[in-house]
Amino acid sequence: VDATEKMMSIVERFGDFTKRGVADVRQNLRRVRETARRTKGSMRAMLADEFNRGQVHPKGGPASRSGAESLLWARIVLSFWVELFDEHVKGRRHGRPGSLADESTRGVRRTISRDRDGVSRAAFSVGMRQAPDWKSVREKTYLGCKGDVCSEDLMEAEFKEFVKDVRPVIDKMV
């Protein structure tokens, strides 16, 4: 939860197009924290408590606005960032660097889109029209910067490290 909050403090500097997503993630993190405080245990205890209290969707899965649903969305969002950063690294490695909008679209396709309807996907596409280029992101977020030196190579190294560290955490959240 703390790692996701820290990630959102970086993501919000990407630009205005991230505002809605960051706000949604923060709202979900608040729900997770509230539920975890009530259960005073692990996330597994939190999920068991919600299940025992009947907080499940009639067709299966977590109830809407529950801590479990919020935890699920936190996992999906982290998965998106892992896929986005991995896409960027792989594109550069193969000599075909992509734009933030294109790489985000591919990341969404592999993570979030299966859980969203056509309207949500269309709204995402409209939002991506406002996405800056990677150079602007680097300047706003200081990703890829050490001291006064900022470069695409340093940003790629940070992305590789993020993917290496976060992907195993996501895999354990299943």
Side-chain angles (χ1 to χ4, degrees):
V1 174
D2 291 338
T4 305
E5 181 60 49
K6 182 162 178 52
M7 179 68 187
M8 290 304 103
S9 69
I10 294 168
V11 168
E12 71 186 343
R13 293 184 305 207
F14 274 42
D16 288 344
F17 75 102
T18 65
K19 282 183 181 177
R20 171 73 192 272
V22 169
D24 287 348
V25 169
R26 286 189 170 139
Q27 181 179 21
N28 284 333
L29 291 175
R30 275 191 298 281
R31 286 186 187 125
V32 169
R33 282 190 178 108
E34 288 167 9
T35 305
R37 241 187 325 262
R38 186 180 65 244
T39 59
K40 295 182 177 135
S42 67
M43 287 295 161
R44 185 167 286 188
M46 176 192 83
L47 296 173
D49 178 66
E50 287 191 350
F51 179 79
N52 291 334
R53 292 175 50 204
Q55 289 186 305
V56 293
H57 192 276
K59 295 182 180 180
S64 182
R65 301 194 192 317
S66 66
E69 180 190 55
S70 298
L71 188 60
L72 173 65
W73 275 109
R75 180 189 183 280
I76 290 169
V77 168
L78 279 175
S79 296
F80 163 73
W81 289 103
V82 164
E83 293 298 328
L84 170 64
F85 294 162
D86 197 36
E87 180 76 26
H88 186 71
V89 168
K90 287 177 181 173
R92 286 197 73 229
R93 193 176 332 140
H94 292 98
R96 51 172 176 73
S99 69
L100 173 60
D102 290 342
E103 291 169 346
S104 294
T105 299
R106 286 191 290 276
V108 162
R109 226 178 274 134
R110 285 194 302 276
T111 57
I112 300 171
S113 69
R114 63 180 165 246
D115 297 304
R116 306 308 306 158
D117 59 18
V119 173
S120 297
R121 287 191 295 275
F124 174 81
S125 294
V126 169
M128 281 295 98
R129 292 181 194 151
Q130 299 174 28
D133 59 21
W134 280 112
K135 182 179 181 226
S136 297
V137 167
R138 195 171 57 246
E139 290 169 356
K140 289 179 182 179
T141 63
Y142 303 107
L143 289 168
C145 297
K146 280 191 179 175
D148 293 340
V149 178
C150 298
S151 73
E152 181 67 31
D153 289 340
L154 289 171
M155 188 167 75
E156 180 181 336
E158 284 190 55
F159 287 177
K160 280 182 186 176
E161 192 71 18
F162 180 85
V163 170
K164 180 179 76 83
D165 290 346
V166 177
R167 185 168 269 143
V169 173
I170 292 168
D171 291 343
K172 289 178 182 177
M173 291 174 77
V174 176

